[in-house]
Amino acid sequence: MQRLMLLRKLVCWKRQSYTGQALSIILVLNLFIFLSVFVLLRLKKTNYYYIFFFVMKYVLETSVYPREPQCLKELRAITSNHPRAVMGTAPDAGQLMALLLKLISAKKTIEIGVFTGYSLLLTALTIPDDGKITAIDLNRSSYEIGLPIIEKSGVKHKINFIESEALPILDELLKDPENKESFDFAFVDADKINYAKYHEKLLELLKPGGIVIYDNTLWGGSVAMAEDCVPERLLMTRASTIEFNKYLAADSRVQISQVPLGDGITVCRRL
């Protein structure tokens, strides 16, 4: 039991398709990661955190960074100088996101929370030339940090950036009957306290078989820690994240997989 608890902490600290094929891939990925780390935990006299760090370093350097488009590398490098660089989408999570976008042939997508635009650019690069992204964020200045790279990449025409709180925009979209069940994909990396509200509205906008990904569902690993071990700055959002994770787990309208990439992403496929 102690080893299983440590396994959960290790995974946390690291940070479908219309036919169900994508979710199967995710489940296999999860199983592989958990079994690999469990084997590592069996080793005696070893610093487990040290080992896991090098496992993830290996994954990034072997499978993620070599396949990352140059424009995304540039945007990631620029974002690293931002005081809140930790808010950027993790490249390993982004790689899985691109795979899912391709698997479902996504064309019409929505993004809540843009920051400097790593996930936005990744989506724009992945969907067809006539694809469209509705991108919503309160802070245009952060988006404009990555905008020159987005323009240089030739995908700006796919993006409709809206500087606003997300809930009023979602309500506005839902007023038009043609928007209901018309989106293929959604990505949410915004205020965690409103995730459940976003979820309800996005389920109305997504097609059956459409996918929504929620970022930061492990919240620095704090969701797997005893409350008295959690840094105070993480406590408030930890509580809302735990509640949201339970909410998704009980939602029979979606098929889910929580994946320990980046700061944790939860993939939901609308049934």
Side-chain angles (χ1 to χ4, degrees), residues 5 19 194 212:
M5 290 300 295
T19 63
N194 279 320
V212 54

Side-chain angles (χ1 to χ4, degrees), residues 11-259:
V11 172
C12 292
W13 273 114
K14 161 58 184 69
R15 239 239 278 203
Q16 205 112 272
S17 81
Y18 292 91
T19 63
Q21 180 184 4
L23 204 68
S24 297
I25 291 174
I26 295 169
L27 293 172
V28 171
L29 175 66
N30 262 328
L31 180 61
F32 175 78
I33 291 173
F34 275 83
L35 288 177
S36 297
V37 178
F38 184 78
V39 169
L40 291 173
L41 291 176
R42 301 284 297 181
L43 299 177
K44 303 292 186 180
K45 301 179 182 178
T46 306
N47 187 317
Y48 301 139
Y49 289 92
Y50 185 76
I51 290 177
F52 192 69
F53 169 80
F54 280 101
V55 168
M56 299 319 300
K57 183 174 182 289
Y58 173 82
V59 170
L60 288 169
E61 293 179 351
T62 303
S63 302
V64 179
Y65 294 151
R67 304 295 295 268
E68 184 181 32
Q70 184 59 37
C71 56
L72 288 176
K73 293 181 191 291
E74 292 176 22
L75 183 48
R76 183 160 53 83
I78 290 173
T79 303
S80 69
N81 297 317
H82 193 283
R84 304 185 73 182
V86 70
M87 291 172 56
T89 302
D92 48 352
Q95 186 182 62
L96 178 59
M97 182 171 152
L99 176 63
L100 293 172
L101 283 161
K102 281 292 187 183
L103 281 171
I104 65 171
S105 301
K107 186 174 180 180
K108 184 178 181 181
T109 78
I110 187 166
E111 182 159 332
I112 301 174
V114 172
F115 192 42
T116 59
Y118 186 95
S119 55
L120 180 61
L121 176 56
L122 179 146
T123 301
L125 290 169
T126 307
I127 63 177
D129 193 58
D130 60 344
K132 295 298 177 186
I133 308 166
T134 300
I136 310 166
D137 198 293
L138 276 171
N139 191 341
R140 185 177 181 89
S141 62
S142 295
Y143 165 65
E144 288 178 345
I145 292 172
L147 186 55
I149 297 175
I150 291 173
E151 291 175 333
K152 185 174 69 172
S153 302
V155 294
K156 185 177 180 293
H157 64 284
K158 303 180 188 181
I159 299 168
N160 175 28
F161 179 84
I162 303 170
E163 186 177 19
S164 171
E165 293 182 353
L167 290 173
I169 302 302
L170 296 176
D171 286 335
E172 194 65 30
L173 287 170
L174 287 168
K175 287 179 181 178
D176 183 351
E178 292 190 3
N179 284 325
K180 293 185 177 183
E181 298 190 344
S182 69
F183 285 81
D184 302 299
F185 182 90
F187 179 67
V188 182
D189 183 7
D191 49 325
K192 316 310 170 196
I193 198 167
N194 279 320
Y195 268 25
K197 293 179 181 177
Y198 297 147
H199 184 70
E200 290 301 320
K201 296 181 187 299
L202 288 171
L203 286 189
E204 293 187 62
L205 292 168
L206 281 174
K207 296 176 179 177
I211 287 176
V212 54
I213 295 178
Y214 295 98
D215 200 7
N216 306 117
T217 58
L218 294 179
W219 197 241
S222 64
V223 295
M225 299 177 192
E227 187 171 340
D228 58 358
C229 296
V230 178
E232 187 175 349
R233 61 186 175 83
L234 298 178
L235 275 174
M236 183 178 298
T237 302
R238 170 188 180 270
S240 58
T241 302
I242 289 173
E243 286 305 307
F244 181 67
N245 289 340
K246 292 178 180 177
Y247 166 80
L248 286 183
D251 189 351
S252 61
R253 299 167 297 175
V254 292
Q255 185 178 9
I256 72 168
S257 180
Q258 190 169 20
V259 188

